[in-house]
Amino acid sequence: MTVFDDGIALERTADGLLSGRTVPEWANMVGPFGGITAAALVRAIELQPDVHGQPVALTANYLAPIADGPFDIAARAVRTNRTNQHWYVELSQDGEVKTTATAVFGIRRDTWGDTQLVRPAVPAPDEVPAGSIGPTWMANYDMRYVAGGIPDGTDGASASSETLLWLRDNPARPWDFASLAAACDIFYPRVFLRLGRMLPAGTVSITVYFHADTETLDAQGSDFVLARAQAQQFSAGHFDQSAQIWATDGALLATSHQIVYYKA
Amino acid sequence: MTVFDDGIALERTADGLLSGRTVPEWANMVGPFGGITAAALVRAIELQPDVHGQPVALTANYLAPIADGPFDIAARAVRTNRTNQHWYVELSQDGEVKTTATAVFGIRRDTWGDTQLVRPAVPAPDEVPAGSIGPTWMANYDMRYVAGGIPDGTDGASASSETLLWLRDNPARPWDFASLAAACDIFYPRVFLRLGRMLPAGTVSITVYFHADTETLDAQGSDFVLARAQAQQFSAGHFDQSAQIWATDGALLATSHQIVYYKA
């Protein structure tokens, strides 16, 4: 039972909901780290008695900050097909919805496959120093920035919006679909990097496509994954970012996209 | 009133739902073109009396094929904040949910902005011949393929999964958020291009990030947009694709991502 497991721990309540609570170790600037919330939503579906298949896609929408304390998750299978299942999920506190999500779970089948993206060539994790600055929750990860580390106030503006880092849970923990969802939200806001300073910003909606299956995750174990994110456009108070999570051996485990609110 | 307007026409019913129906001109291989469904979902929110702001993000999930005939759309504002609003939407036929969606609408504000993506250099639309093959709905678009046209059976396999085309409604129609959502789903399945043949494939979930505001869309009028899509990974029965829609003058109007089921 690591701090990650503690962050996504859920208990079934009498009314069929799942009950969780925020833990101080996952605190972000306002409310908990969005990635741990996304992970709890994945876990909430995995815990349903009628779950069918494994995560294929998740879209989580952050409606309002989650306050310190308990929350409830209601997960509903809207439709179950032979090879996939569609979910709608709401996370609430005192009857107020704080997060919504849709998810697709599916059966993986043997098919032709190929990867179009090329994994960036990078030094091995043990050749990259650990990063340390950031909000509380970052202590729950071993983060080793290859490029695009958190600007420290002397870095100035950057033409690039790319961040590339080796990442694993701290303490190390075998990767699963829940922790992979969290990893997709690991990147501090791209606008900090572009402008070389911190400013108000927060994820509004994140989508994760899970390419890994159980066997791929088992092969990955608790080793470092390579995480990369880059913005696409900043305009009128929102920017979007695309991200990829690669296995140590080069397999593409997940791709992810998010739209982020900012003031600048 | 063009064929596009006809495809997304909705009427308010006594029980507060919006009622629409499929039209033969939008027929795809099975059910209607997913893009016209996504557009109807956007329009359903725009028609709500309590709508706040303009589309920022949409995720539509295709649970089951829509049968020929009427459908109902139920749209619920789950939360309205000062600067944005979160929606959950269901499209049903005879009480059976066929499509779900979440959407974020928001107020656009003047901020610093920049575009990280570079628009591909391409010949002007009038220098590119119109494409014509494909299912019924494609007649509702003027599609001019610059690269990655629909394989005709003699093209063979392709190492690239990229399609790049000039696109406008046929008949020409001023772009709006609904038609922009439809445009994001304009690309035939990337697996057809890679393998050089048609096979069973269908979008499971699509996400659209709207970068354009009303002024940008007004400036675009009904002129051609440049649409680009590329797959990221094909594995175990699903692939994901990322797409961009560019204005004639080079502005990035929308970015989009989808996960697609296939058999190969």
Side-chain angles (χ1 to χ4, degrees):
Chain A
M1 179 90 173
T2 70
V3 67
F4 185 86
D5 297 290
D6 196 30
I8 63 166
L10 297 170
E11 283 186 13
R12 191 161 295 279
T13 63
D15 49 7
L17 303 177
L18 290 163
S19 171
R21 78 273 174 272
T22 62
V23 294
E25 292 83 354
W26 287 101
N28 202 353
M29 314 292 267
V30 179
F33 167 51
I36 200 74
T37 303
L41 299 171
V42 170
R43 179 52 49 89
I45 298 170
E46 291 176 328
L47 289 173
Q48 300 300 312
D50 56 342
V51 68
H52 179 58
Q54 297 175 333
V56 170
L58 170 78
T59 293
N61 305 289
Y62 301 101
L63 281 60
I66 296 172
D68 290 344
F71 55 78
D72 286 321
I73 301 180
R76 173 168 64 93
V78 182
R79 187 180 180 102
T80 302
N81 294 311
R82 194 173 50 82
T83 61
N84 72 17
Q85 189 174 46
H86 285 265
W87 291 88
Y88 177 63
V89 187
E90 288 187 346
L91 182 154
S92 304
Q93 291 187 302
D94 292 326
E96 195 180 342
V97 181
K98 300 295 183 74
T99 318
T100 62
T102 59
V104 183
F105 275 49
I107 305 295
R108 288 180 166 75
R109 294 168 303 106
D110 277 343
T111 59
W112 169 83
D114 194 29
T115 303
Q116 302 278 174
L117 298 178
V118 177
R119 194 180 89 161
V122 293
D126 60 11
E127 295 169 28
V128 182
S132 60
I133 51 171
T136 305
W137 65 267
M138 286 194 177
N140 304 329
Y141 287 101
D142 186 342
M143 301 169 83
R144 305 188 177 195
Y145 286 96
V146 177
I150 303 177
D152 68 2
T154 64
D155 291 322
S158 163
S160 166
S161 66
E162 184 193 23
T163 281
L164 185 59
L165 74 158
W166 287 109
L167 173 76
R168 69 173 172 186
D169 286 283
N170 177 29
R173 175 184 177 278
W175 290 96
D176 55 21
F177 293 107
S179 63
L180 198 54
C184 288
D185 197 30
I186 204 73
F187 312 93
Y188 67 90
R190 308 292 79 208
V191 68
F192 295 6
L193 179 57
R194 285 299 312 275
L195 299 182
R197 60 187 170 89
M198 293 178 67
L199 43 87
T203 303
V204 175
S205 182
I206 183 171
T207 290
V208 177
Y209 297 141
F210 299 90
H211 298 288
D213 58 16
T214 308
E215 294 66 35
T216 317
L217 289 173
D218 286 351
Q220 174 64 19
S222 60
D223 207 350
F224 284 94
V225 297
L226 184 67
R228 179 184 175 277
Q230 186 165 29
Q232 302 202 104
Q233 176 157 295
F234 303 83
S235 61
H238 292 94
F239 73 86
D240 67 331
Q241 136 189 334
S242 286
Q244 303 89 40
I245 307 290
W246 301 88
T248 316
D249 72 1
L252 183 58
L253 300 175
T255 51
S256 180
H257 311 282
Q258 63 176 264
I259 187 128
V260 182
Y261 163 93
Y262 70 94
K263 282 188 184 172
Chain B
M1 180 90 172
T2 69
V3 67
F4 185 86
D5 297 291
D6 196 32
I8 64 165
L10 298 170
E11 283 185 13
R12 190 162 296 278
T13 62
D15 49 5
L17 303 177
L18 289 164
S19 171
R21 78 275 174 270
T22 61
V23 294
E25 292 84 352
W26 285 101
N28 202 354
M29 314 293 267
V30 180
F33 167 50
I36 199 72
T37 304
L41 299 171
V42 169
R43 179 51 50 88
I45 299 171
E46 291 176 328
L47 289 173
Q48 299 301 312
D50 56 341
V51 67
H52 179 57
Q54 298 174 333
V56 170
L58 171 78
T59 294
N61 306 289
Y62 302 100
L63 281 60
I66 296 173
D68 291 344
F71 55 78
D72 288 320
I73 301 180
R76 174 168 63 94
V78 182
R79 187 182 180 101
T80 301
N81 294 312
R82 195 172 52 80
T83 61
N84 71 17
Q85 189 172 47
H86 285 265
W87 290 88
Y88 177 62
V89 187
E90 288 187 349
L91 183 154
S92 303
Q93 291 186 304
D94 293 325
E96 196 181 341
V97 181
K98 299 295 183 74
T99 319
T100 61
T102 59
V104 184
F105 275 49
I107 306 295
R108 286 179 167 76
R109 295 168 302 105
D110 277 344
T111 58
W112 169 82
D114 194 29
T115 303
Q116 302 278 174
L117 297 178
V118 177
R119 194 179 89 162
V122 293
D126 59 10
E127 296 169 28
V128 182
S132 61
I133 51 171
T136 305
W137 65 266
M138 286 195 178
N140 304 328
Y141 288 101
D142 187 343
M143 302 169 83
R144 306 190 176 195
Y145 286 95
V146 177
I150 303 177
D152 69 1
T154 64
D155 291 323
S158 163
S160 166
S161 66
E162 184 192 24
T163 281
L164 184 60
L165 74 157
W166 286 109
L167 174 76
R168 68 174 171 188
D169 285 284
N170 177 30
R173 175 184 178 279
W175 289 96
D176 56 19
F177 293 107
S179 63
L180 199 53
C184 288
D185 197 29
I186 206 70
F187 312 94
Y188 68 89
R190 308 292 80 207
V191 69
F192 293 8
L193 180 56
R194 285 299 312 276
L195 299 183
R197 61 186 170 90
M198 294 176 66
L199 41 88
T203 303
V204 175
S205 181
I206 183 172
T207 290
V208 178
Y209 298 140
F210 300 89
H211 298 287
D213 56 18
T214 307
E215 294 67 34
T216 316
L217 289 172
D218 287 349
Q220 174 64 20
S222 60
D223 207 350
F224 284 95
V225 297
L226 184 67
R228 179 184 176 278
Q230 187 165 30
Q232 303 203 101
Q233 176 156 295
F234 304 82
S235 61
H238 291 93
F239 73 86
D240 67 334
Q241 136 189 334
S242 286
Q244 303 88 41
I245 307 290
W246 301 88
T248 316
D249 72 1
L252 184 57
L253 299 175
T255 51
S256 180
H257 311 281
Q258 63 176 263
I259 187 129
V260 182
Y261 163 92
Y262 69 95
K263 282 188 185 174

Short mmCIF file of all heavy atoms in Angstrom, two decimals, chain A residues 2-47:
data_model
loop_
_atom_site.label_atom_id
_atom_site.label_comp_id
_atom_site.label_asym_id
_atom_site.label_seq_id
_atom_site.Cartn_x
_atom_site.Cartn_y
_atom_site.Cartn_z
N THR A 2 1.01 1.86 -1.19
CA THR A 2 1.83 3.06 -1.30
C THR A 2 0.95 4.30 -1.19
O THR A 2 -0.27 4.21 -1.10
CB THR A 2 2.57 3.10 -2.66
OG1 THR A 2 1.59 3.34 -3.67
CG2 THR A 2 3.30 1.81 -2.94
N VAL A 3 1.58 5.47 -1.24
CA VAL A 3 0.83 6.73 -1.20
C VAL A 3 -0.11 6.83 -2.40
O VAL A 3 -1.18 7.44 -2.31
CB VAL A 3 1.80 7.93 -1.10
CG1 VAL A 3 2.62 8.08 -2.39
CG2 VAL A 3 1.04 9.23 -0.80
N PHE A 4 0.26 6.21 -3.54
CA PHE A 4 -0.63 6.22 -4.69
C PHE A 4 -1.90 5.40 -4.39
O PHE A 4 -3.02 5.86 -4.64
CB PHE A 4 0.07 5.67 -5.95
CG PHE A 4 -0.80 5.79 -7.18
CD1 PHE A 4 -0.82 6.96 -7.91
CD2 PHE A 4 -1.63 4.75 -7.56
CE1 PHE A 4 -1.65 7.09 -9.02
CE2 PHE A 4 -2.47 4.87 -8.67
CZ PHE A 4 -2.47 6.04 -9.40
N ASP A 5 -1.71 4.20 -3.84
CA ASP A 5 -2.87 3.38 -3.48
C ASP A 5 -3.75 4.10 -2.47
O ASP A 5 -4.98 4.02 -2.54
CB ASP A 5 -2.41 2.04 -2.90
CG ASP A 5 -1.63 1.23 -3.92
OD1 ASP A 5 -2.23 0.75 -4.87
OD2 ASP A 5 -0.40 1.11 -3.75
N ASP A 6 -3.12 4.81 -1.54
CA ASP A 6 -3.88 5.55 -0.53
C ASP A 6 -4.71 6.65 -1.21
O ASP A 6 -5.87 6.88 -0.84
CB ASP A 6 -2.89 6.17 0.47
CG ASP A 6 -3.59 6.62 1.74
OD1 ASP A 6 -4.60 6.00 2.12
OD2 ASP A 6 -3.12 7.61 2.34
N GLY A 7 -4.14 7.30 -2.23
CA GLY A 7 -4.84 8.40 -2.92
C GLY A 7 -6.06 7.95 -3.70
O GLY A 7 -6.98 8.75 -3.93
N ILE A 8 -6.07 6.69 -4.12
CA ILE A 8 -7.22 6.21 -4.93
C ILE A 8 -8.06 5.17 -4.18
O ILE A 8 -8.89 4.51 -4.79
CB ILE A 8 -6.76 5.62 -6.29
CG1 ILE A 8 -5.88 4.39 -6.11
CG2 ILE A 8 -6.04 6.69 -7.13
CD1 ILE A 8 -5.68 3.59 -7.40
N ALA A 9 -7.83 5.06 -2.87
CA ALA A 9 -8.59 4.06 -2.08
C ALA A 9 -10.07 4.42 -2.06
O ALA A 9 -10.44 5.56 -1.79
CB ALA A 9 -8.04 4.01 -0.65
N LEU A 10 -10.92 3.44 -2.37
CA LEU A 10 -12.37 3.65 -2.43
C LEU A 10 -13.08 2.54 -1.68
O LEU A 10 -12.64 1.39 -1.72
CB LEU A 10 -12.83 3.65 -3.90
CG LEU A 10 -12.28 4.75 -4.80
CD1 LEU A 10 -12.64 4.48 -6.26
CD2 LEU A 10 -12.80 6.12 -4.38
N GLU A 11 -14.17 2.89 -1.02
CA GLU A 11 -14.98 1.90 -0.30
C GLU A 11 -16.40 1.97 -0.79
O GLU A 11 -16.95 3.05 -0.97
CB GLU A 11 -14.96 2.18 1.21
CG GLU A 11 -13.68 1.73 1.86
CD GLU A 11 -13.74 1.89 3.38
OE1 GLU A 11 -14.84 2.10 3.92
OE2 GLU A 11 -12.66 1.81 4.00
N ARG A 12 -17.02 0.80 -0.95
CA ARG A 12 -18.41 0.76 -1.39
C ARG A 12 -19.33 1.19 -0.24
O ARG A 12 -19.14 0.78 0.89
CB ARG A 12 -18.78 -0.64 -1.87
CG ARG A 12 -20.12 -0.71 -2.59
CD ARG A 12 -20.23 -1.96 -3.44
NE ARG A 12 -19.26 -1.96 -4.54
CZ ARG A 12 -19.45 -1.31 -5.70
NH1 ARG A 12 -20.53 -0.60 -5.89
NH2 ARG A 12 -18.53 -1.35 -6.63
N THR A 13 -20.28 2.06 -0.54
CA THR A 13 -21.23 2.50 0.48
C THR A 13 -22.56 1.79 0.29
O THR A 13 -22.80 1.13 -0.73
CB THR A 13 -21.45 4.03 0.39
OG1 THR A 13 -22.04 4.33 -0.88
CG2 THR A 13 -20.13 4.78 0.52
N ALA A 14 -23.45 1.93 1.27
CA ALA A 14 -24.73 1.23 1.27
C ALA A 14 -25.58 1.58 0.05
O ALA A 14 -26.32 0.75 -0.46
CB ALA A 14 -25.50 1.56 2.54
N ASP A 15 -25.44 2.82 -0.46
CA ASP A 15 -26.28 3.26 -1.59
C ASP A 15 -25.63 2.96 -2.94
O ASP A 15 -26.07 3.49 -3.97
CB ASP A 15 -26.62 4.75 -1.46
CG ASP A 15 -25.39 5.59 -1.17
OD1 ASP A 15 -24.27 5.02 -1.21
OD2 ASP A 15 -25.53 6.79 -0.93
N GLY A 16 -24.60 2.12 -2.97
CA GLY A 16 -24.03 1.68 -4.24
C GLY A 16 -22.97 2.62 -4.79
O GLY A 16 -22.43 2.37 -5.87
N LEU A 17 -22.66 3.69 -4.09
CA LEU A 17 -21.59 4.60 -4.52
C LEU A 17 -20.26 4.07 -4.00
O LEU A 17 -20.20 3.14 -3.20
CB LEU A 17 -21.85 6.01 -3.97
CG LEU A 17 -23.19 6.63 -4.34
CD1 LEU A 17 -23.35 7.99 -3.67
CD2 LEU A 17 -23.31 6.77 -5.86
N LEU A 18 -19.18 4.73 -4.47
CA LEU A 18 -17.87 4.46 -3.90
C LEU A 18 -17.43 5.72 -3.16
O LEU A 18 -17.57 6.83 -3.67
CB LEU A 18 -16.87 4.10 -5.00
CG LEU A 18 -17.11 2.74 -5.64
CD1 LEU A 18 -16.38 2.60 -6.96
CD2 LEU A 18 -16.68 1.61 -4.68
N SER A 19 -16.91 5.51 -1.98
CA SER A 19 -16.52 6.64 -1.15
C SER A 19 -15.00 6.72 -1.05
O SER A 19 -14.33 5.72 -0.80
CB SER A 19 -17.13 6.45 0.24
OG SER A 19 -16.63 7.40 1.13
N GLY A 20 -14.45 7.91 -1.28
CA GLY A 20 -13.02 8.15 -1.13
C GLY A 20 -12.81 9.41 -0.33
O GLY A 20 -13.76 10.04 0.13
N ARG A 21 -11.54 9.81 -0.17
CA ARG A 21 -11.26 11.08 0.49
C ARG A 21 -9.91 11.59 0.02
O ARG A 21 -9.04 10.81 -0.37
CB ARG A 21 -11.34 10.97 2.02
CG ARG A 21 -10.12 10.32 2.67
CD ARG A 21 -10.25 8.80 2.73
NE ARG A 21 -9.04 8.18 3.22
CZ ARG A 21 -7.99 7.80 2.46
NH1 ARG A 21 -8.00 8.01 1.17
NH2 ARG A 21 -6.94 7.25 3.01
N THR A 22 -9.77 12.90 0.07
CA THR A 22 -8.48 13.50 -0.31
C THR A 22 -7.46 13.14 0.76
O THR A 22 -7.81 12.93 1.92
CB THR A 22 -8.60 15.03 -0.41
OG1 THR A 22 -8.96 15.55 0.88
CG2 THR A 22 -9.64 15.44 -1.44
N VAL A 23 -6.20 13.03 0.35
CA VAL A 23 -5.12 12.81 1.32
C VAL A 23 -4.11 13.94 1.14
O VAL A 23 -3.87 14.38 0.00
CB VAL A 23 -4.45 11.42 1.15
CG1 VAL A 23 -5.44 10.31 1.51
CG2 VAL A 23 -3.92 11.22 -0.24
N PRO A 24 -3.56 14.43 2.24
CA PRO A 24 -2.70 15.63 2.17
C PRO A 24 -1.50 15.47 1.24
O PRO A 24 -1.05 16.44 0.63
CB PRO A 24 -2.23 15.84 3.62
CG PRO A 24 -3.09 14.97 4.48
CD PRO A 24 -3.72 13.93 3.62
N GLU A 25 -1.00 14.24 1.10
CA GLU A 25 0.19 14.01 0.27
C GLU A 25 -0.06 14.31 -1.20
O GLU A 25 0.89 14.45 -1.98
CB GLU A 25 0.67 12.56 0.40
CG GLU A 25 1.23 12.18 1.76
CD GLU A 25 0.15 11.80 2.76
OE1 GLU A 25 -1.05 11.96 2.44
OE2 GLU A 25 0.52 11.37 3.87
N TRP A 26 -1.34 14.38 -1.64
CA TRP A 26 -1.65 14.63 -3.05
C TRP A 26 -2.10 16.07 -3.31
O TRP A 26 -2.65 16.38 -4.38
CB TRP A 26 -2.69 13.63 -3.56
CG TRP A 26 -2.08 12.28 -3.74
CD1 TRP A 26 -2.17 11.22 -2.91
CD2 TRP A 26 -1.23 11.87 -4.83
NE1 TRP A 26 -1.44 10.15 -3.40
CE2 TRP A 26 -0.86 10.53 -4.58
CE3 TRP A 26 -0.75 12.50 -5.98
CZ2 TRP A 26 -0.02 9.81 -5.44
CZ3 TRP A 26 0.08 11.78 -6.84
CH2 TRP A 26 0.44 10.45 -6.56
N ALA A 27 -1.86 16.96 -2.34
CA ALA A 27 -2.29 18.36 -2.49
C ALA A 27 -1.57 19.04 -3.65
O ALA A 27 -0.35 18.92 -3.81
CB ALA A 27 -2.04 19.12 -1.19
N ASN A 28 -2.34 19.77 -4.43
CA ASN A 28 -1.82 20.62 -5.50
C ASN A 28 -2.01 22.08 -5.04
O ASN A 28 -2.31 22.33 -3.88
CB ASN A 28 -2.60 20.32 -6.79
CG ASN A 28 -1.83 20.72 -8.05
OD1 ASN A 28 -0.77 21.34 -7.99
ND2 ASN A 28 -2.37 20.36 -9.20
N MET A 29 -1.86 23.03 -5.96
CA MET A 29 -2.03 24.44 -5.60
C MET A 29 -3.44 24.68 -5.03
O MET A 29 -3.60 25.33 -4.01
CB MET A 29 -1.84 25.33 -6.83
CG MET A 29 -0.63 24.98 -7.68
SD MET A 29 0.92 25.33 -6.84
CE MET A 29 1.21 27.01 -7.46
N VAL A 30 -4.46 24.16 -5.74
CA VAL A 30 -5.85 24.24 -5.26
C VAL A 30 -6.43 22.83 -5.41
O VAL A 30 -6.48 22.30 -6.51
CB VAL A 30 -6.68 25.22 -6.12
CG1 VAL A 30 -8.14 25.27 -5.62
CG2 VAL A 30 -6.06 26.61 -6.13
N GLY A 31 -6.84 22.22 -4.30
CA GLY A 31 -7.37 20.86 -4.36
C GLY A 31 -6.29 19.85 -4.67
O GLY A 31 -5.10 20.19 -4.73
N PRO A 32 -6.67 18.58 -4.86
CA PRO A 32 -5.68 17.54 -5.14
C PRO A 32 -5.18 17.59 -6.60
O PRO A 32 -5.84 18.16 -7.47
CB PRO A 32 -6.44 16.24 -4.88
CG PRO A 32 -7.88 16.58 -5.08
CD PRO A 32 -8.04 18.04 -4.73
N PHE A 33 -4.05 16.97 -6.85
CA PHE A 33 -3.50 16.75 -8.19
C PHE A 33 -4.58 16.11 -9.07
O PHE A 33 -5.19 15.10 -8.71
CB PHE A 33 -2.28 15.83 -8.04
CG PHE A 33 -1.75 15.23 -9.31
CD1 PHE A 33 -1.47 16.01 -10.42
CD2 PHE A 33 -1.49 13.85 -9.39
CE1 PHE A 33 -0.95 15.45 -11.58
CE2 PHE A 33 -0.98 13.28 -10.53
CZ PHE A 33 -0.71 14.08 -11.64
N GLY A 34 -4.81 16.71 -10.24
CA GLY A 34 -5.85 16.20 -11.14
C GLY A 34 -5.60 14.76 -11.56
O GLY A 34 -6.55 14.00 -11.81
N GLY A 35 -4.34 14.37 -11.65
CA GLY A 35 -4.00 13.01 -12.08
C GLY A 35 -4.47 11.96 -11.08
O GLY A 35 -4.91 10.87 -11.48
N ILE A 36 -4.43 12.29 -9.78
CA ILE A 36 -4.88 11.30 -8.79
C ILE A 36 -6.41 11.18 -8.85
O ILE A 36 -6.96 10.09 -8.63
CB ILE A 36 -4.36 11.62 -7.36
CG1 ILE A 36 -4.43 10.38 -6.48
CG2 ILE A 36 -5.10 12.77 -6.72
CD1 ILE A 36 -3.38 9.33 -6.77
N THR A 37 -7.07 12.29 -9.20
CA THR A 37 -8.53 12.23 -9.37
C THR A 37 -8.88 11.38 -10.58
O THR A 37 -9.77 10.51 -10.51
CB THR A 37 -9.09 13.66 -9.54
OG1 THR A 37 -8.71 14.44 -8.40
CG2 THR A 37 -10.60 13.65 -9.67
N ALA A 38 -8.19 11.59 -11.70
CA ALA A 38 -8.42 10.77 -12.90
C ALA A 38 -8.19 9.29 -12.58
O ALA A 38 -8.95 8.41 -13.02
CB ALA A 38 -7.51 11.23 -14.04
N ALA A 39 -7.14 9.02 -11.81
CA ALA A 39 -6.82 7.63 -11.43
C ALA A 39 -7.94 7.03 -10.58
O ALA A 39 -8.31 5.86 -10.76
CB ALA A 39 -5.50 7.59 -10.68
N ALA A 40 -8.50 7.82 -9.68
CA ALA A 40 -9.60 7.33 -8.83
C ALA A 40 -10.84 7.01 -9.67
O ALA A 40 -11.57 6.07 -9.37
CB ALA A 40 -9.93 8.36 -7.74
N LEU A 41 -11.06 7.80 -10.74
CA LEU A 41 -12.20 7.55 -11.63
C LEU A 41 -12.02 6.22 -12.37
O LEU A 41 -12.97 5.43 -12.51
CB LEU A 41 -12.37 8.70 -12.62
CG LEU A 41 -12.64 10.08 -12.01
CD1 LEU A 41 -12.58 11.17 -13.08
CD2 LEU A 41 -13.98 10.12 -11.29
N VAL A 42 -10.80 5.97 -12.83
CA VAL A 42 -10.49 4.68 -13.49
C VAL A 42 -10.71 3.53 -12.50
O VAL A 42 -11.38 2.54 -12.82
CB VAL A 42 -9.04 4.67 -14.02
CG1 VAL A 42 -8.63 3.26 -14.46
CG2 VAL A 42 -8.88 5.66 -15.16
N ARG A 43 -10.18 3.71 -11.31
CA ARG A 43 -10.32 2.65 -10.31
C ARG A 43 -11.79 2.41 -9.95
O ARG A 43 -12.23 1.27 -9.76
CB ARG A 43 -9.49 3.01 -9.06
CG ARG A 43 -9.56 2.02 -7.91
CD ARG A 43 -9.26 0.58 -8.32
NE ARG A 43 -8.06 0.41 -9.11
CZ ARG A 43 -6.84 0.19 -8.62
NH1 ARG A 43 -6.67 0.11 -7.31
NH2 ARG A 43 -5.80 0.04 -9.43
N ALA A 44 -12.58 3.50 -9.88
CA ALA A 44 -14.01 3.37 -9.56
C ALA A 44 -14.73 2.49 -10.58
O ALA A 44 -15.61 1.70 -10.21
CB ALA A 44 -14.66 4.75 -9.50
N ILE A 45 -14.34 2.61 -11.84
CA ILE A 45 -14.96 1.75 -12.86
C ILE A 45 -14.45 0.32 -12.72
O ILE A 45 -15.22 -0.65 -12.78
CB ILE A 45 -14.69 2.30 -14.28
CG1 ILE A 45 -15.31 3.69 -14.43
CG2 ILE A 45 -15.25 1.34 -15.34
CD1 ILE A 45 -14.92 4.42 -15.69
N GLU A 46 -13.14 0.18 -12.52
CA GLU A 46 -12.56 -1.16 -12.38
C GLU A 46 -13.21 -1.94 -11.23
O GLU A 46 -13.25 -3.18 -11.26
CB GLU A 46 -11.05 -1.06 -12.15
CG GLU A 46 -10.29 -0.57 -13.37
CD GLU A 46 -8.79 -0.38 -13.12
OE1 GLU A 46 -8.40 -0.04 -11.98
OE2 GLU A 46 -8.02 -0.56 -14.07
N LEU A 47 -13.69 -1.22 -10.21
CA LEU A 47 -14.29 -1.87 -9.04
C LEU A 47 -15.75 -2.25 -9.23
O LEU A 47 -16.35 -2.89 -8.37
CB LEU A 47 -14.17 -0.95 -7.81
CG LEU A 47 -12.77 -0.78 -7.23
CD1 LEU A 47 -12.78 0.29 -6.15
CD2 LEU A 47 -12.23 -2.10 -6.70
#
